[in-house]
Amino acid sequence: HGAWIDGIRVHDSTRRPSGTTGLRGNVEIERAGTIALVGRPNAGKSTLLNEILGEKISIISSKPQTTRNRVVGILSQPPAQIVLVDTPGIHKSRTRMNQAMVKVAVDALADVDGVCWVVDAIKAVDALESGRAVINRGRDHIAKLIEQAGDVPVTIALNKVDRCNKRKLLPVMAALGGRLPGAELVPVSALRGEGVTNLVELWAKQVPEGPAMFPEDQIMDGSERFVVAELIREKVFRLTEQEVPYSTAVHVEKFDESQRDEETARVTIYATIVVERPSQKGIVIGKGGSMLKHIGTKARMDIQRLLGCRVHLDLHVKVKDKWTTNPRSLREIGLE
Ligand code: GDP
Ligand code: MG
């Protein structure tokens, strides 16, 4: 059970019988962390996510990347909880990537517990067959970003092996392994689900010991709120045409579900968009409130689709109170 929205998988634990956590037996989460999925478009990242997280219920087309690391799926498979994330910038074409963007991508990768580079084996074999290098400029660029991220453990999912001659895969694997010697290579077919458990097992070892990052029996609630905030944030970013920065936060203040089970099901959400500067507040509100209304309408449509019921969305905008809410400032004054 679950839903996909904007490529984000939302586990639905509400349909489980009450009294269970929805997890197998009484095994607890003992390790938890984030794994970044990287790779060129069409390498098969979404297919892999679907395969890992189960049945795809609904997919809404891709969206611009608006956060440092965007959660795209949560796999709670005790004893490990693996939070799969997407990183901003990393999928941008090499030529369009300026230095600032490279830094964003590298910082985002340095933040995670593991990186999984998804490589299209069909293309790699093709390259080799026609006498081109497996490590072309595009692949070299991704390898560089991964290297610059430091000590992060790396898996390379060599995907689409269902359509490759196994013997021709060997030199491809040698080339990739030669470029990133520390990486674990795993041939997979995301489409057929082959090799995927090997990959998940490696990730489960890469995430550090610690408690679940998302409450196990509240995964639905937690990620619903989270996804709602992300959906609003995405609208802010997209509709203002990126005049409002990445760092814009959305706080879901109240999530009133008291009418959710009624015949005329309805959820009321109170959320605040927190911007950095008064000028940005002006942009988000727009002339006569037109921009905020637009943001609200678009976000509400997506949220309704996520929650499967009518939604009343109450949006406010405020300028950030610098010293208490900005993690960067907290770090600067040594509190974090
Ligand atoms: P993304 O852009 O990295 O998210 O790639 P997608 O998951 O959208 O996949 C791109 C294309 O590759 C789609 O047509 C998939 O069906 C196909 N694809 C993905 N994984 C496999 C695989 O394991 N085998 C084959 N043959 N095709 C795959
Ligand atoms: Mg995709």
Side-chain angles (χ1 to χ4, degrees), residues 131-196:
R132 287 174 284 131
V134 170
I135 308 297
N136 59 8
R137 286 178 64 192
R139 293 199 186 93
D140 189 59
H141 177 68
I142 292 186
K144 270 208 187 81
L145 293 178
I146 294 173
E147 280 172 335
Q148 283 170 31
D151 274 340
V152 190
V154 182
T155 42
I156 300 177
L158 190 59
N159 190 31
K160 312 194 187 183
V161 296
D162 55 286
R163 289 220 355 237
C164 296
N165 177 325
K166 299 278 165 337
R167 252 182 311 128
K168 289 177 182 156
L169 277 177
L170 290 176
V172 167
M173 293 177 75
L176 290 165
R179 181 63 185 80
L180 288 176
E184 303 256 18
L185 269 159
V186 189
V188 300
S189 167
L191 205 59
R192 298 201 186 156
E194 289 162 12
V196 172

